[in-house]
Each structure stands twice: as C-alpha cells, then as structure tokens.
Amino acid sequence: MRVRQDGRLPRPIRPAAVLATTVAALTTGVLTACADRPVADPGPPAEELRVEVVATRPHDPAAFTQGLEISDGELLEGTGREGRSYLSARALDTGAERTRVPVPDEMFGEGITVAGDTVWQLTWKDGVAIARDRDTLAPRDLVDYDGQGWGLCADGNRLVMSDGSSTLTFRDPVTFDVLGTATVRANGREVDNLNELECAEDGSVYANVWKTDRIVRIDPDSGRVTATVDAGALRDELTDEQREGIDVLNGIAQVPGTDRFLVTGKYWPTMFEVRFVP
C-alpha cells in the first residue's frame, strides 16, 4: 500500500474475517495472558536491579512517550494520543530537533524501531504498522497486523513486538510477517502488560511493565526474565509539582557502545541516563 499524492496515508482494507478475529480477541481478553500460571521449570531466579542516575536531560512534558530509539547519533521518539501522535528525530548530544512528522489523526502512535533504512512505527488498536524512511521519516508503506501494538525493537535479523500481554512476537524486518512468539515469565509466572521494548546489544530485550515502575530484562529466545529493575527512584528525582502532571514510566533506549540507557515516561519533564546496578 502506498502513500497518496496528497501525502496522507490510505487506510488498509482488512478482510471481514480478520476484523472479526481481532474484535473477538479484544473482547474476550485473549490478548491478556494469565499472570498466575506457573511453569514446571522456572529456571534461575531473576536478578534484582535498581537504577543509578548518571545524568539528566530535558524532556518535552507534552510528549506522551511510546517509543525511544537511538540511531546514528539521533534520538527518535514516537508519541501517542489520537490527533497528537508524532515521530521526531533530534540530535542526541544537543537535543536539537531535526524533524517531526505526524501520525494520521485517526491513529494512536505506539512503539518504534529502526531496521536498516526503515523506521517502523506501531499503532495501538488500528492494527497498522507504518514503514517510514529513516532519513526523512516520511511514510512509505502501511502493513496490517492482528491485535494491538505496544512496543517494538530490532534484534538482529528480526523485530520484537509487544501487545500488552505476556507474549513477544518476532517479525520479519522487511515484510513485518510473523516469525514466531515467546511467552515471557519471571520465576515461572507470566509477566503481562509488556509495553515499550529495547533490544540491547547483549541480545537481551528490556521491557517497561505498564502501570508500574518496573523494567524487566528478557532472554527473548526462552522468554525468561533474567532481571527485574526497580526504577521507582526516578520519581524521587522530580519535584512534587512535576510528579503531579506525569503518567507512567515508558521509554527506554540503550546508549550505543555503553552500559547506559535513556529512560523517561509519558509527560515526564526529564529524561534520565542510567545504569542498571545490583
């Protein structure tokens, strides 16, 4: 599917069967896994970590952050809310914004990632992934998917996607086709509400857990949570007035070549550069 001459993205037409399946999944709760279902062999217990703040930088308090990605010296940020979603690119060192492009008004922007010369951007309940040009961020194509879109990251030759459940879905970075899935468990129990994702350089996947100040480190092949990060101390770095206007912790991006990560939240006025330490 291509972009129209007026620059707007046409909505894909989905078969009725696909729509019916998606609606049924959403209404019956199929996408939400049971967090109380243990497995026979949980493996080693997850390591308990905390955040160590290395530095801070300003963050737009009007940004409903859904995805962060560092690529070629730039920080890409995708935001949500219908009619207000966008994707921006700014210099990592100075914070100067180079470009910002909107998501169609009827769509709710979600997670983002870079795969080659493409930036993929999810939408929440629209069932559409937007393929964008890495340089201009202009839309090139739309691809349908079933269910909801939450977080997205690039792990070698595959993409990793979350949908708010305990399932990670692996996708082809070119076609967006499904390659497989993994169920995420910590100490034998499923972890749902997986939100924004970051594919780290060591092969791990980090995920924000929605409505909490927890970040989990996941072995994507087994789905096992190898560490849980308590990031609650970041709220203490904000003033009382700043805390009144913020939403949940969301947004994580590894600083390339380091053990540091940028983390922030929806409507947070600060972005933190942190290490995850015992």
Side-chain angles (χ1 to χ4, degrees):
M1 186 172 294
R2 300 300 171 190
V3 181
R4 301 186 329 200
Q5 291 183 351
D6 61 8
R8 291 182 59 82
L9 290 168
R11 285 301 303 266
I13 299 175
R14 303 183 187 85
V18 173
L19 285 174
T21 300
T22 302
V23 171
L26 291 173
T27 57
T28 59
V30 171
L31 295 179
T32 302
C34 176
D36 294 324
R37 186 181 305 136
V39 294
D41 182 13
E47 186 179 6
E48 297 291 335
L49 303 175
R50 61 178 176 84
V51 291
E52 176 185 78
V53 177
V54 177
T56 61
R57 59 185 72 193
H59 181 247
D60 182 0
F64 196 74
T65 304
Q66 301 288 58
L68 289 181
E69 181 95 350
I70 297 175
S71 170
D72 296 329
E74 289 190 318
L75 178 64
L76 306 184
E77 181 171 11
T79 71
R81 298 297 197 196
E82 290 180 356
R84 289 180 284 173
S85 301
Y86 62 83
L87 175 64
S88 66
R90 60 183 65 246
L92 182 62
D93 53 355
T94 67
E97 187 173 273
R98 177 176 65 84
T99 187
R100 177 184 295 201
V101 294
V103 173
D105 285 348
E106 69 276 13
M107 294 184 182
F108 191 117
E110 283 282 348
I112 62 168
T113 198
V114 177
D117 63 355
T118 300
V119 180
W120 285 103
Q121 184 172 26
L122 299 177
T123 56
W124 182 23
K125 295 182 180 180
D126 302 285
V128 174
I130 305 172
R132 298 180 178 275
D133 180 82
R134 168 60 189 91
D135 183 41
T136 66
L137 306 187
R140 293 193 308 217
D141 208 349
L142 297 178
V143 178
D144 280 343
Y145 56 81
D146 293 336
Q148 297 185 13
W150 287 44
L152 192 66
C153 67
D155 176 25
N157 294 321
R158 63 184 181 181
L159 305 180
V160 186
M161 175 178 164
S162 65
D163 60 11
S165 72
S166 60
T167 299
L168 295 179
T169 300
F170 307 117
R171 293 184 175 274
D172 186 281
V174 177
T175 65
F176 216 69
D177 291 340
V178 174
L179 303 176
T181 62
T183 300
V184 176
R185 294 182 174 90
N187 303 323
R189 297 187 180 276
E190 293 186 20
V191 180
D192 50 11
N193 286 329
L194 298 176
N195 201 355
E196 219 273 289
L197 304 179
E198 172 68 4
C199 292
E201 294 174 352
D202 65 359
S204 299
V205 173
Y206 287 80
N208 286 113
V209 181
W210 186 48
K211 291 187 177 181
T212 78
D213 290 329
R214 286 191 301 134
I215 297 170
V216 291
R217 187 183 70 202
I218 305 163
D219 174 354
D221 293 321
S222 67
R224 188 174 70 85
V225 171
T226 60
T228 298
V229 182
D230 180 359
L234 295 180
R235 292 180 182 269
D236 298 333
E237 300 287 328
L238 305 175
T239 66
D240 290 342
E241 182 179 1
Q242 289 173 330
R243 284 195 292 270
E244 288 179 359
I246 65 175
D247 205 307
V248 297
L249 184 76
N250 203 47
I252 177 171
Q254 185 175 16
V255 180
T258 76
D259 61 350
R260 304 189 304 275
F261 293 80
L262 297 182
V263 296
T264 191
K266 305 174 191 290
Y267 300 144
W268 285 39
T270 302
M271 184 175 294
F272 298 92
E273 186 173 335
V274 303
R275 291 189 180 94
F276 302 136
V277 298

